Amino acid sequence: ERERESQGGEKSQDFLFLFGTTSRCFSPTSRDKLEALQLHKNTVITFLGDHGYSLGQRNQWCKCNNFELTTRVPLFVVPPQGDPGYARNHTDTSLVESLDLYPTIAELAGVALPAHQNLGGESLVPLLKASRHIPAQLGSRTKNHALSQWARPLSCIHHHNCPDGGGDPSQADALMGYSLRVADYRYTAWFQFDYAKNEPVYTNISARELYTHVGDDGGELSGETFEMENLAEKEPTVVQQLHEQLVSVIKAALVPPVNN
């Protein structure tokens, strides 16, 4: 918290909220200050957490992989309190991405998105207006997946016994793993990667993984109990369908290099 003098000589306060922990960020004191300044009626509050952390599950360590336990992050958005059109204290189980946060904040703030740019995200506002009594307006959202990406250098695995692959994409033999999460499955494909073109070699696939999430309620232990059996060889039809979707999503997400 700090004080400064305005141009008129009056003192005003800038409140610097610390985002080190959730409890500090959204403490009653912070909310009270927003309400005292009448800022809660036109302020958007968001929280986005870091990756999950593997502690030996599936021989993985840290957060350097494409499994659910690592790629899933906490996210919540609090629309302005002065607008009664939004649901409150509501949890939505729809699949969303971190990329969706930017267009969400822009829409809530009434700010136009940059034209002719591939942002990759879709606004979550239709979901924020949904609740148990107000059905989600899913018609305005076309995305039904979440995409993750992580590199796995072969040399790191074979020569250094690093179980998570190290994630250093600078090596020429690195494979690029793209993981597509949909309602009932997670499908991951490991491609050879063309660093000159900054895209995978779609015809050169080194490995595939398919995990069911049927019955996954997203609870506390979902990352511990699912994705234990690779079903890629048992479900070739599902693999083919999800692979086609994955390639389409990757191509749509690729952003050309910026020329200065």
Side-chain angles (χ1 to χ4, degrees):
E1 180 177 321
R2 68 186 179 190
E3 287 190 347
R4 61 178 174 84
E5 286 193 0
S6 64
Q7 292 181 350
E10 299 176 353
K11 287 187 176 181
S12 62
Q13 291 181 325
D14 291 334
F15 296 102
L16 305 181
F17 296 104
L18 304 179
F19 292 87
T21 62
T22 307
S23 59
R24 172 63 176 170
C25 176
F26 298 103
S27 66
T29 302
S30 300
R31 294 196 299 270
D32 290 344
K33 289 185 183 296
L34 282 174
E35 293 179 2
L37 295 172
Q38 294 294 301
L39 294 177
H40 65 294
K41 295 182 179 180
N42 60 0
T43 299
V44 180
I45 302 174
T46 65
F47 177 83
L48 175 65
D50 196 2
H51 296 275
Y53 205 101
S54 297
L55 299 175
Q57 299 93 333
R58 307 172 190 83
N59 286 330
Q60 304 295 311
W61 186 256
C62 195
K63 53 186 179 181
C64 309
N65 56 71
N66 279 318
F67 288 113
E68 183 92 356
L69 184 63
T70 298
T71 58
R72 187 172 181 172
V73 299
L75 168 67
F76 64 82
V77 180
V78 182
Q81 299 291 309
D83 192 329
Y86 295 101
R88 304 294 173 183
N89 301 316
H90 173 65
T91 300
D92 196 288
T93 58
S94 301
L95 288 169
V96 301
E97 296 180 304
S98 302
L99 289 172
D100 298 332
L101 192 56
Y102 175 28
T104 300
I105 295 176
E107 182 172 351
L108 290 173
V111 177
L113 294 174
H116 311 298
Q117 289 192 20
N118 180 12
L119 300 177
E122 288 188 14
S123 174
L124 302 177
V125 167
L127 300 181
L128 296 176
K129 292 183 176 180
S131 70
R132 297 174 183 173
H133 308 294
I134 309 174
Q137 302 175 19
L138 296 179
S140 57
R141 276 185 58 85
T142 60
K143 186 187 296 183
N144 62 354
H145 63 266
L147 178 67
S148 302
Q149 176 183 353
W150 188 257
R152 184 182 293 266
L154 294 176
S155 60
C156 192
I157 298 173
H158 295 322
H159 303 309
H160 304 293
N161 296 319
C162 183
D164 65 9
D168 179 6
S170 64
Q171 304 178 50
D173 58 359
L175 298 177
M176 190 64 73
Y178 288 90
S179 188
L180 185 73
R181 177 70 156 86
V182 295
D184 291 335
Y185 294 98
R186 173 178 294 281
Y187 171 69
T188 304
W190 294 92
F191 299 90
Q192 294 292 330
F193 198 78
D194 188 333
Y195 286 94
K197 296 181 179 180
N198 194 34
E199 65 177 331
V201 181
Y202 297 104
T203 57
N204 196 333
I205 305 169
S206 298
R208 304 174 192 258
E209 301 173 64
L210 177 68
Y211 304 101
T212 179
H213 277 269
V214 175
D216 185 355
D217 61 0
E220 181 179 353
L221 297 178
S222 64
E224 302 276 359
T225 56
F226 287 82
E227 301 184 355
M228 294 297 183
E229 180 185 5
N230 186 357
L231 302 174
E233 294 185 359
K234 297 181 180 180
E235 300 285 352
T237 301
V238 175
V239 166
Q240 181 61 32
Q241 293 173 346
L242 291 180
H243 186 78
E244 292 177 359
Q245 182 179 357
L246 174 64
V247 171
S248 175
V249 169
I250 295 173
K251 290 182 177 181
L254 289 176
V255 178
V258 177
N259 295 320
N260 295 324

